[in-house]
Structures are given as C-alpha cells and as structure tokens.
Amino acid sequence: MNQIRRTSNLAIVSLVCGVLGWTLAPFLGSIIAVITGHMARAEIRRSAGTLDGDGLAVAGLVLGWLAVGLTLVGIFIVFAFLGGLAWLAALNS
C-alpha cells in the first residue's frame, strides 16, 4: 500500500523566502530561506520517507545563499571603491 507523502512546510517557506530574497525582502528573505532550508532538509531526513520537498528546500537554499553571497560581494566592492577614492583624495591633498 502506498503511503501518502506530504510536502514539508519548512521547504515551502524556504522556497518562498528565497524568491522574496531576490524581490521584495532582499537580505531578510535570504537569511530566512537559508535557515528554513536547512531545517527542512533535516526534517525530511528524519521523517523516514513520510515528508517530501527536498527539492524545494534545496532551491530555497540555493536562492538564499546566492543572494547572501552577492550581497557580501557587493558590500566588498562598495568599500573597495570608496577606499580607492579615499586613497586618491589623500594623494591629491
């Protein structure tokens, strides 16, 4: 007899927040997507086959980590640019 597998709510939250991290709530959505994605994958592993949604959780994790990584790279570029401007200003004074 086939057992009905339901989708993990945390996996759904992870995917939705991962998309929100790229649209309406850039940093907060990404952080929530990463946290709930890891929680969902752990929940799915512990469920002994009764929960589904690992792909949703992985998609949320990928979207979340990409947004966090690009945000950090962007912050680094801004500081490097501003540091270069400060260095040029110090040379010219």
Side-chain angles (χ1 to χ4, degrees):
M1 184 169 173
N2 286 338
Q3 184 179 14
I4 296 176
R5 296 174 67 176
R6 64 180 189 86
T7 303
S8 167
N9 291 332
L10 286 171
I12 296 169
V13 169
S14 176
L15 180 61
V16 169
C17 288
V19 171
L20 285 177
W22 284 91
T23 56
L24 299 176
F27 196 69
L28 183 62
S30 301
I31 295 298
I32 294 171
V34 168
I35 292 169
T36 56
H38 284 293
M39 290 171 58
R41 293 202 72 208
E43 178 185 51
I44 292 166
R45 279 193 301 269
R46 286 191 311 265
S47 73
T50 60
L51 282 178
D52 203 8
D54 193 54
L56 299 175
V58 169
L61 280 168
V62 168
L63 288 171
W65 278 119
L66 278 175
V68 167
L70 288 176
T71 300
L72 293 176
V73 167
I75 290 171
F76 173 77
I77 288 172
V78 166
F79 277 110
F81 177 74
L82 292 177
L85 287 179
W87 178 72
L88 285 175
L91 283 178
N92 291 331
S93 62

